[in-house]
Amino acid sequence: MKNKRPGFATIAIHAGQEPDAETGAVVVPIYPTSTYVQQELGKNKGYEYARVSNPTRTRLEENLAALEGGSAARVFASGMAAINAICTMYKSGDHVVCGNDLYGGVPRLFNQVLANFGVQFTYVDTTDAKNVERAIRKNTRMVYIETPTNPLMSLSDIAAISQVCRDKKTELVVDNTFMSPYFQQPIALGADMVVHSTTKFLNGHSDGLGGVVVCTKKEQADKLAFVQKAAGAILSPFECWLVLRGVKTLAVRMEQHDRNGRLVAEFLARHKKVKKVFYPGLEEHPQHDLARRQMTAFGSMITFETGSLSNAKKLLKKVRVCSLAESLGGVETLISHPATMTHAALGEKGRREIGITDGLVRISVGIENVEDIVDDLDQALAAI
Ligand SMILES: *Cc1c(COP(=O)(O)O)cnc(C)c1O
């Protein structure tokens, strides 16, 4: 019993969230301070200025590192700020291999910001690890993947790609936003770093932006701490506190998200007006076996084909329980149209290349009563 690692929910509630040493407060306090008094020149309690460090932030970083099984974590003002922080460790001439079906903001950052600084990007279909292997060059510093992808829900084999990265001496970074550490543990499968938009499932209540990089090596964590200090896109103490509060219920929320997700996916798969459903939990998903191996459940992100832009529009106009909005991972069901919302920046050609059609609708199934979500989709689909 003694050396047994505590279970996930216990870690979520207690790691970094120990009672406050000074007062015994059960909940981690918010420290809204910009600076810290120094005892004398050169002597302080480990805190000098809040861009560099803040106790609420330290606690969140300890918590998220423990949840992903990493050695340290660094939190940033948004998911994009976290991804950008990793890239600021690279220099002109460095090369990155990445998936061709990523969250729309990631290729926008890579192509329209970082490419201007001379970082090179190659986009490949990472559902086959061989494509990754072929794309890696001598100057490749990172392989960056999302699994499952947004919005097409394709999977990449984390263990296979991490083996390729080890052989080729480059690092694998996995965006684990869609599954959360509760359903997928990329570091245990060989990833070098894990990224999240904490805005989504980790915070879980659609009330704060944030991002995290979980590291496995001290060198990465030190460099990212330097980026926090030097570039300053840190997460505020209040937002850190919201995520600390959110993660306490991550396990129960994810269980319910997954239960509802499966039922909604099955309903959509049976519905005559729905042409195709993209959900790794369905047996017809081409990578259902990999999903069973790599994740402990299938989550609540579902994409489906309505056949045309006009069908998608009709459906989205009719929904009442589901809210038409970008984002995902909150307790409320959110429904969105990738072609005109999250993936508009890709352009029509870019979307066609990876299969994002105008009829696709993405749903982030919340934790409402599932009958209400299904009834809502049923009445909205009747409008098509
Ligand atoms: C939302 C999202 C991001 C970006 O995070 P922000 O917090 O919105 O900056 C990155 N990756 C994935 C998979 C996302 O869903």
Side-chain angles (χ1 to χ4, degrees):
M1 208 49 203
K2 236 187 188 161
N3 294 320
K4 194 171 151 264
R5 185 179 148 82
F8 187 95
T10 309
I11 296 174
I13 293 167
H14 294 292
Q17 308 227 41
E18 297 82 9
D20 181 48
E22 197 178 323
T23 63
V26 167
V27 171
V28 173
I30 307 173
Y31 288 84
T33 188
S34 58
T35 192
Y36 308 85
V37 75
Q38 317 214 351
Q39 281 71 55
E40 57 183 84
L41 271 184
K43 196 172 161 208
N44 59 57
K45 297 186 172 177
Y47 292 94
E48 291 166 3
Y49 188 64
R51 176 164 20 80
V52 184
S53 51
N54 176 282
T56 317
R57 194 167 99 211
T58 306
R59 302 284 210 104
L60 176 62
E61 292 176 337
E62 284 170 17
N63 181 274
L64 297 179
L67 288 181
E68 283 287 357
S71 59
R74 300 287 176 243
V75 293
F76 294 89
S78 66
M80 290 316 304
I83 297 163
N84 185 56
I86 295 177
C87 296
T88 56
M89 299 195 283
Y90 305 145
K91 55 184 190 306
S92 175
D94 284 345
H95 177 243
V96 171
V97 174
C98 44
N100 63 357
D101 176 21
L102 300 170
Y103 173 75
V106 175
R108 179 173 55 206
L109 170 71
F110 288 175
N111 298 338
Q112 296 182 47
V113 181
L114 296 163
N116 296 336
F117 293 88
V119 182
Q120 301 158 10
F121 297 91
T122 303
Y123 295 88
V124 297
D125 176 359
T126 57
T127 59
D128 185 349
K130 288 205 183 67
N131 293 334
V132 175
E133 189 169 9
R134 276 193 287 271
I136 293 175
R137 308 177 194 157
K138 275 210 180 68
N139 57 340
T140 303
R141 297 284 309 274
M142 156 171 87
V143 172
Y144 181 92
I145 65 170
E146 253 171 53
T147 180
T149 60
N150 177 10
L152 294 171
M153 303 305 293
S154 353
L155 272 62
S156 295
D157 187 332
I158 299 172
I161 296 177
S162 80
Q163 187 57 52
V164 166
C165 291
R166 261 196 303 281
D167 293 347
K168 299 267 185 179
K169 304 207 165 18
T170 187
E171 290 196 326
L172 175 63
V173 178
V174 178
D175 183 333
N176 199 24
T177 299
F178 268 34
M179 278 300 121
S180 90
Y182 188 62
F183 287 147
Q184 179 167 273
Q185 294 261 310
I187 288 173
L189 295 166
D192 298 282
M193 280 185 269
V194 169
V195 174
H196 280 274
S197 165
T198 63
T199 313
K200 316 296 168 54
F201 290 102
L202 289 175
N203 181 51
H205 293 74
S206 308
D207 53 9
L209 259 69
V212 64
V213 184
V214 182
C215 308
T216 54
K217 300 186 190 84
K218 186 171 182 304
E219 188 198 346
Q220 299 159 345
D222 289 348
K223 276 189 182 166
L224 288 167
F226 178 76
V227 175
Q228 286 180 321
K229 171 172 153 175
I234 44 113
L235 193 61
S236 80
F238 180 66
E239 249 85 20
C240 289
W241 183 83
L242 281 177
V243 182
L244 280 167
R245 179 183 160 118
V247 292
K248 289 183 194 177
T249 55
L250 183 65
V252 285
R253 282 189 287 111
M254 292 315 288
E255 290 288 348
Q256 192 62 39
H257 276 298
D258 178 65
R259 256 196 302 276
N260 285 2
R262 286 177 204 229
L263 292 168
V264 170
E266 282 162 17
F267 160 77
L268 291 169
R270 278 196 310 268
H271 202 287
K272 284 196 291 294
K273 302 247 174 96
V274 175
K275 310 272 183 286
K276 190 170 177 191
V277 180
F278 301 79
Y279 182 68
L282 294 173
E283 266 173 43
E284 60 260 36
H285 188 284
Q287 295 158 299
H288 181 64
D289 289 342
L290 174 60
R292 295 194 86 97
R293 236 182 14 253
Q294 177 163 284
M295 321 187 309
T296 55
F298 307 111
S300 64
M301 297 304 299
I302 305 167
T303 300
F304 59 100
E305 180 57 67
T306 62
S308 67
L309 178 61
S310 88
N311 281 350
K313 271 191 176 158
K314 284 181 202 155
L315 170 92
L316 294 170
K317 200 167 169 205
K318 280 275 177 189
V319 287
R320 292 291 172 267
V321 177
C322 309
S323 303
L324 173 59
E326 299 204 6
S327 201
L328 58 107
V331 292
E332 56 287 286
T333 298
L334 299 179
I335 194 161
S336 67
H337 184 243
T340 59
M341 296 167 76
T342 47
H343 290 68
L346 276 186
E348 208 183 320
K349 184 167 167 282
R351 287 194 298 277
R352 199 173 333 113
E353 274 169 16
I354 55 173
I356 301 178
T357 63
D358 288 348
L360 278 189
V361 169
R362 188 190 79 184
I363 178 163
S364 165
V365 180
I367 60 173
E368 300 96 338
N369 290 92
V370 69
E371 317 79 74
D372 296 326
I373 304 168
V374 167
D375 286 352
D376 189 42
L377 289 169
D378 201 26
Q379 63 81 24
L381 281 163
I384 293 183

